Amino acid sequence: MLWDPAAHEPLADAAWDPDQALAAVRAIVADTEDAFDGGWPPHPEDQLPNDPGPWADVYCGGAGVVDALRRLAGRGLVELRRDYRPYLELLQPGGPRSSLFVGETGMLLVRHRLGAPVVERLREAIASDEGVADLITGSPGALLAARELGFDDLRHEIADTLRATTWPNALGPAHGFAGCVLALGEVEGAGETARRHAIVENGLANWPPLADGELVCNDTTRVQWCHGAPGMITSLGDQLDEDLALAGGELTWRAGPLAKGGGLCHGTAGNGYAFLELFRRTADERWLERARAFAMHASTQVSGRYSLWSGDLGIALYLADCVDGAGALPLP
């Protein structure tokens, strides 16, 4: 089977209501601001025995929360009650310096977006990239940051290094092939690689975590952004052949919302962005309707999980994009 029914849950029976969606956005932001106490408490499901948090980074930490709040306020959807810039100045990175998701580059980029004079520090952090072909920890994230900042020399240097680096055996965007393609843009043969490793059955398609590997990994089959069809659709864009993109989207719809939560990396909102991408590609309203159905479901999965990529702030961004009828995951 191309998905694990135990990893998913039935879709909530709730009609799309943009006013309700925006109310949920405001409620998430209000709760997030209420929970701030020199930072945000880590959620138990994000904690590891050797790293219980709280964290500072963009992926699961305070910098990501502030960036999500900035994005929502910048769209005029909420009015923030607090200036988070002094808080950001105190944060210390815990991951590789050049990492967009878990290192100093991502944290400095958030400060830069809020007007802090950190451009030179950003250049130094991005330039420290060590050529690791991993979106979460390495070169693809550094490349995205360099592109946003207009550091064309670093962008070309990192892109050349990334192309010459041995890419990991993983396929998904978080740690593998799709994340490298996302950062580089057009990659020769990307579509052929995606087709070669796709597993297609009865008009549905999914991808295993590892190239030439089994769909079942660690006792489950993943259909989520970080591993599986949704991440391949959103990361490869038009480089993924349309028949495969549609088959992956149909699989994501039939599998249903993720039981583990509503977030972006491995939750319902992250899967829903595949539908918004298919709506962009095809202009078929069915995909927008499906995206909005997942949005209503994700709003029921809000859980006091204060993070951008695994928690409630990612849900808020997805709800806002579904109101607009377009959008992409919060990458530069």
Side-chain angles (χ1 to χ4, degrees), residues 270-297:
N271 283 18
Y273 273 108
F275 302 145
L276 287 180
E277 169 63 15
L278 291 172
F279 177 57
R280 180 198 68 80
R281 287 190 66 169
T282 67
D284 184 342
E285 292 284 339
R286 173 184 54 162
W287 295 112
L288 180 57
E289 293 170 2
R290 290 178 170 185
R292 287 170 167 171
F294 265 42
M296 297 303 287
H297 188 97

CSV table of all heavy atoms in Angstrom, one decimal, residues 270-297:
chain,number,residue,atom,x,y,z
A,270,GLY,N,1.6,21.0,5.8
A,270,GLY,CA,2.6,20.8,4.8
A,270,GLY,C,2.1,20.0,3.6
A,270,GLY,O,2.5,20.2,2.5
A,271,ASN,N,1.3,19.0,3.9
A,271,ASN,CA,0.7,18.2,2.8
A,271,ASN,C,-0.2,19.1,1.9
A,271,ASN,O,-0.3,18.9,0.7
A,271,ASN,CB,-0.1,17.0,3.4
A,271,ASN,CG,0.9,15.9,3.8
A,271,ASN,OD1,2.0,16.1,4.0
A,271,ASN,ND2,0.3,14.7,4.0
A,272,GLY,N,-1.0,20.0,2.6
A,272,GLY,CA,-1.9,20.8,1.9
A,272,GLY,C,-1.2,21.7,0.8
A,272,GLY,O,-1.8,22.0,-0.2
A,273,TYR,N,0.0,22.1,1.1
A,273,TYR,CA,0.7,22.9,0.1
A,273,TYR,C,0.9,22.2,-1.2
A,273,TYR,O,1.0,22.8,-2.3
A,273,TYR,CB,2.0,23.4,0.7
A,273,TYR,CG,1.9,24.7,1.5
A,273,TYR,CD1,2.1,24.7,2.9
A,273,TYR,CD2,1.7,25.9,0.8
A,273,TYR,CE1,2.0,25.8,3.6
A,273,TYR,CE2,1.6,27.1,1.6
A,273,TYR,CZ,1.7,27.0,3.0
A,273,TYR,OH,1.6,28.2,3.7
A,274,ALA,N,0.9,20.9,-1.2
A,274,ALA,CA,0.9,20.2,-2.5
A,274,ALA,C,-0.3,20.5,-3.3
A,274,ALA,O,-0.2,20.6,-4.6
A,274,ALA,CB,1.0,18.6,-2.2
A,275,PHE,N,-1.4,20.6,-2.7
A,275,PHE,CA,-2.7,20.9,-3.4
A,275,PHE,C,-2.6,22.4,-4.0
A,275,PHE,O,-3.1,22.6,-5.1
A,275,PHE,CB,-3.9,20.8,-2.5
A,275,PHE,CG,-4.1,19.4,-1.9
A,275,PHE,CD1,-4.6,19.3,-0.6
A,275,PHE,CD2,-3.7,18.3,-2.6
A,275,PHE,CE1,-4.7,18.0,0.0
A,275,PHE,CE2,-3.9,17.0,-2.0
A,275,PHE,CZ,-4.4,16.9,-0.7
A,276,LEU,N,-2.1,23.3,-3.2
A,276,LEU,CA,-1.9,24.7,-3.7
A,276,LEU,C,-1.0,24.7,-4.9
A,276,LEU,O,-1.2,25.4,-5.9
A,276,LEU,CB,-1.4,25.6,-2.6
A,276,LEU,CG,-2.4,26.0,-1.5
A,276,LEU,CD1,-1.7,26.9,-0.5
A,276,LEU,CD2,-3.7,26.6,-2.1
A,277,GLU,N,0.1,23.9,-4.9
A,277,GLU,CA,1.0,23.8,-6.0
A,277,GLU,C,0.3,23.2,-7.2
A,277,GLU,O,0.5,23.7,-8.4
A,277,GLU,CB,2.2,23.0,-5.6
A,277,GLU,CG,3.1,22.6,-6.8
A,277,GLU,CD,3.8,23.8,-7.5
A,277,GLU,OE1,3.7,24.9,-7.0
A,277,GLU,OE2,4.3,23.6,-8.6
A,278,LEU,N,-0.5,22.2,-7.0
A,278,LEU,CA,-1.3,21.6,-8.2
A,278,LEU,C,-2.3,22.6,-8.7
A,278,LEU,O,-2.6,22.6,-9.9
A,278,LEU,CB,-1.9,20.3,-7.7
A,278,LEU,CG,-0.9,19.2,-7.5
A,278,LEU,CD1,-1.6,18.0,-6.9
A,278,LEU,CD2,-0.1,18.8,-8.8
A,279,PHE,N,-2.9,23.4,-7.9
A,279,PHE,CA,-3.8,24.4,-8.3
A,279,PHE,C,-3.1,25.4,-9.2
A,279,PHE,O,-3.6,25.9,-10.2
A,279,PHE,CB,-4.5,25.1,-7.2
A,279,PHE,CG,-5.4,26.2,-7.5
A,279,PHE,CD1,-6.5,26.0,-8.4
A,279,PHE,CD2,-5.3,27.5,-7.0
A,279,PHE,CE1,-7.3,27.0,-8.8
A,279,PHE,CE2,-6.1,28.5,-7.4
A,279,PHE,CZ,-7.1,28.3,-8.3
A,280,ARG,N,-1.9,25.8,-8.7
A,280,ARG,CA,-1.1,26.7,-9.5
A,280,ARG,C,-0.8,26.1,-10.9
A,280,ARG,O,-0.9,26.8,-11.9
A,280,ARG,CB,0.2,27.0,-8.8
A,280,ARG,CG,1.1,28.0,-9.6
A,280,ARG,CD,2.6,28.0,-9.1
A,280,ARG,NE,3.2,26.7,-9.4
A,280,ARG,CZ,3.8,26.4,-10.6
A,280,ARG,NH1,3.7,27.2,-11.6
A,280,ARG,NH2,4.4,25.2,-10.8
A,281,ARG,N,-0.4,24.8,-10.9
A,281,ARG,CA,0.0,24.2,-12.2
A,281,ARG,C,-1.2,24.0,-13.1
A,281,ARG,O,-1.0,24.1,-14.4
A,281,ARG,CB,0.7,22.9,-11.9
A,281,ARG,CG,2.0,23.0,-11.3
A,281,ARG,CD,2.7,21.6,-11.3
A,281,ARG,NE,3.0,21.1,-12.7
A,281,ARG,CZ,3.8,20.1,-12.9
A,281,ARG,NH1,4.4,19.4,-11.9
A,281,ARG,NH2,4.0,19.7,-14.2
A,282,THR,N,-2.3,23.7,-12.6
A,282,THR,CA,-3.4,23.2,-13.5
A,282,THR,C,-4.6,24.1,-13.6
A,282,THR,O,-5.4,24.0,-14.5
A,282,THR,CB,-4.0,21.8,-13.0
A,282,THR,OG1,-4.6,22.0,-11.7
A,282,THR,CG2,-2.8,20.8,-12.8
A,283,ALA,N,-4.7,25.1,-12.6
A,283,ALA,CA,-5.9,26.0,-12.5
A,283,ALA,C,-7.2,25.2,-12.3
A,283,ALA,O,-8.3,25.7,-12.5
A,283,ALA,CB,-6.0,26.9,-13.7
A,284,ASP,N,-7.1,23.9,-11.9
A,284,ASP,CA,-8.2,23.1,-11.6
A,284,ASP,C,-8.7,23.4,-10.1
A,284,ASP,O,-8.0,23.2,-9.2
A,284,ASP,CB,-7.8,21.6,-11.7
A,284,ASP,CG,-9.0,20.7,-11.5
A,284,ASP,OD1,-10.0,21.1,-10.9
A,284,ASP,OD2,-8.9,19.5,-11.9
A,285,GLU,N,-9.9,24.0,-10.0
A,285,GLU,CA,-10.4,24.4,-8.7
A,285,GLU,C,-10.5,23.2,-7.7
A,285,GLU,O,-10.6,23.5,-6.5
A,285,GLU,CB,-11.8,25.0,-8.9
A,285,GLU,CG,-11.8,26.4,-9.7
A,285,GLU,CD,-11.3,27.5,-8.8
A,285,GLU,OE1,-11.4,27.4,-7.5
A,285,GLU,OE2,-10.9,28.5,-9.3
A,286,ARG,N,-10.6,22.0,-8.2
A,286,ARG,CA,-10.7,20.9,-7.3
A,286,ARG,C,-9.5,20.9,-6.3
A,286,ARG,O,-9.7,20.6,-5.1
A,286,ARG,CB,-10.7,19.6,-8.1
A,286,ARG,CG,-10.6,18.3,-7.3
A,286,ARG,CD,-10.5,17.1,-8.1
A,286,ARG,NE,-9.4,17.2,-9.1
A,286,ARG,CZ,-8.9,16.1,-9.8
A,286,ARG,NH1,-9.4,14.9,-9.6
A,286,ARG,NH2,-7.9,16.3,-10.6
A,287,TRP,N,-8.3,21.3,-6.8
A,287,TRP,CA,-7.1,21.3,-5.9
A,287,TRP,C,-7.2,22.4,-4.9
A,287,TRP,O,-6.8,22.2,-3.7
A,287,TRP,CB,-5.9,21.4,-6.7
A,287,TRP,CG,-5.7,20.2,-7.6
A,287,TRP,CD1,-5.7,20.1,-9.0
A,287,TRP,CD2,-5.4,18.8,-7.1
A,287,TRP,NE1,-5.5,18.8,-9.4
A,287,TRP,CE2,-5.3,18.0,-8.3
A,287,TRP,CE3,-5.3,18.2,-5.9
A,287,TRP,CZ2,-5.1,16.6,-8.2
A,287,TRP,CZ3,-5.0,16.9,-5.8
A,287,TRP,CH2,-4.9,16.1,-7.0
A,288,LEU,N,-7.7,23.5,-5.2
A,288,LEU,CA,-7.9,24.6,-4.2
A,288,LEU,C,-9.0,24.2,-3.2
A,288,LEU,O,-8.8,24.4,-2.0
A,288,LEU,CB,-8.4,25.9,-4.9
A,288,LEU,CG,-8.6,27.1,-4.0
A,288,LEU,CD1,-7.4,27.4,-3.2
A,288,LEU,CD2,-9.0,28.3,-4.8
A,289,GLU,N,-10.0,23.5,-3.6
A,289,GLU,CA,-11.0,23.0,-2.7
A,289,GLU,C,-10.4,22.0,-1.7
A,289,GLU,O,-10.7,22.0,-0.5
A,289,GLU,CB,-12.2,22.4,-3.4
A,289,GLU,CG,-13.0,23.4,-4.3
A,289,GLU,CD,-14.0,22.7,-5.2
A,289,GLU,OE1,-14.0,21.4,-5.2
A,289,GLU,OE2,-14.7,23.4,-5.9
A,290,ARG,N,-9.5,21.2,-2.2
A,290,ARG,CA,-8.9,20.2,-1.4
A,290,ARG,C,-7.9,20.8,-0.4
A,290,ARG,O,-7.8,20.5,0.8
A,290,ARG,CB,-8.2,19.1,-2.2
A,290,ARG,CG,-9.1,18.2,-3.0
A,290,ARG,CD,-8.4,17.2,-3.9
A,290,ARG,NE,-9.4,16.2,-4.4
A,290,ARG,CZ,-9.1,15.2,-5.1
A,290,ARG,NH1,-7.8,15.0,-5.4
A,290,ARG,NH2,-10.0,14.3,-5.5
A,291,ALA,N,-7.2,21.8,-0.9
A,291,ALA,CA,-6.3,22.6,0.0
A,291,ALA,C,-7.0,23.2,1.1
A,291,ALA,O,-6.6,23.2,2.3
A,291,ALA,CB,-5.5,23.7,-0.8
A,292,ARG,N,-8.2,23.8,0.8
A,292,ARG,CA,-9.0,24.4,1.9
A,292,ARG,C,-9.6,23.4,2.8
A,292,ARG,O,-9.8,23.7,4.0
A,292,ARG,CB,-10.0,25.4,1.2
A,292,ARG,CG,-9.4,26.6,0.6
A,292,ARG,CD,-10.3,27.4,-0.3
A,292,ARG,NE,-9.7,28.7,-0.6
A,292,ARG,CZ,-10.3,29.6,-1.4
A,292,ARG,NH1,-11.4,29.3,-2.1
A,292,ARG,NH2,-9.7,30.8,-1.6
A,293,ALA,N,-9.9,22.3,2.3
A,293,ALA,CA,-10.5,21.2,3.2
A,293,ALA,C,-9.4,20.8,4.2
A,293,ALA,O,-9.7,20.6,5.4
A,293,ALA,CB,-10.9,20.0,2.4
A,294,PHE,N,-8.2,20.7,3.8
A,294,PHE,CA,-7.1,20.4,4.7
A,294,PHE,C,-6.8,21.5,5.6
A,294,PHE,O,-6.4,21.3,6.8
A,294,PHE,CB,-5.8,20.0,3.9
A,294,PHE,CG,-5.6,18.6,3.6
A,294,PHE,CD1,-6.7,17.7,3.2
A,294,PHE,CD2,-4.3,18.0,3.7
A,294,PHE,CE1,-6.5,16.4,3.0
A,294,PHE,CE2,-4.1,16.6,3.5
A,294,PHE,CZ,-5.2,15.8,3.1
A,295,ALA,N,-7.0,22.7,5.2
A,295,ALA,CA,-6.8,23.9,6.1
A,295,ALA,C,-7.8,23.9,7.2
A,295,ALA,O,-7.4,24.1,8.4
A,295,ALA,CB,-6.9,25.2,5.3
A,296,MET,N,-9.0,23.6,6.9
A,296,MET,CA,-10.0,23.5,8.0
A,296,MET,C,-9.7,22.4,9.0
A,296,MET,O,-9.9,22.6,10.2
A,296,MET,CB,-11.4,23.3,7.4
A,296,MET,CG,-11.9,24.5,6.5
A,296,MET,SD,-11.9,26.1,7.3
A,296,MET,CE,-13.4,25.9,8.4
A,297,HIS,N,-9.2,21.3,8.4
A,297,HIS,CA,-8.8,20.2,9.3
A,297,HIS,C,-7.6,20.6,10.2
A,297,HIS,O,-7.6,20.4,11.4
A,297,HIS,CB,-8.5,18.9,8.5
A,297,HIS,CG,-8.3,17.8,9.4
A,297,HIS,ND1,-9.3,16.8,9.7
A,297,HIS,CD2,-7.2,17.3,10.2
A,297,HIS,CE1,-8.8,15.9,10.5
A,297,HIS,NE2,-7.6,16.2,10.8
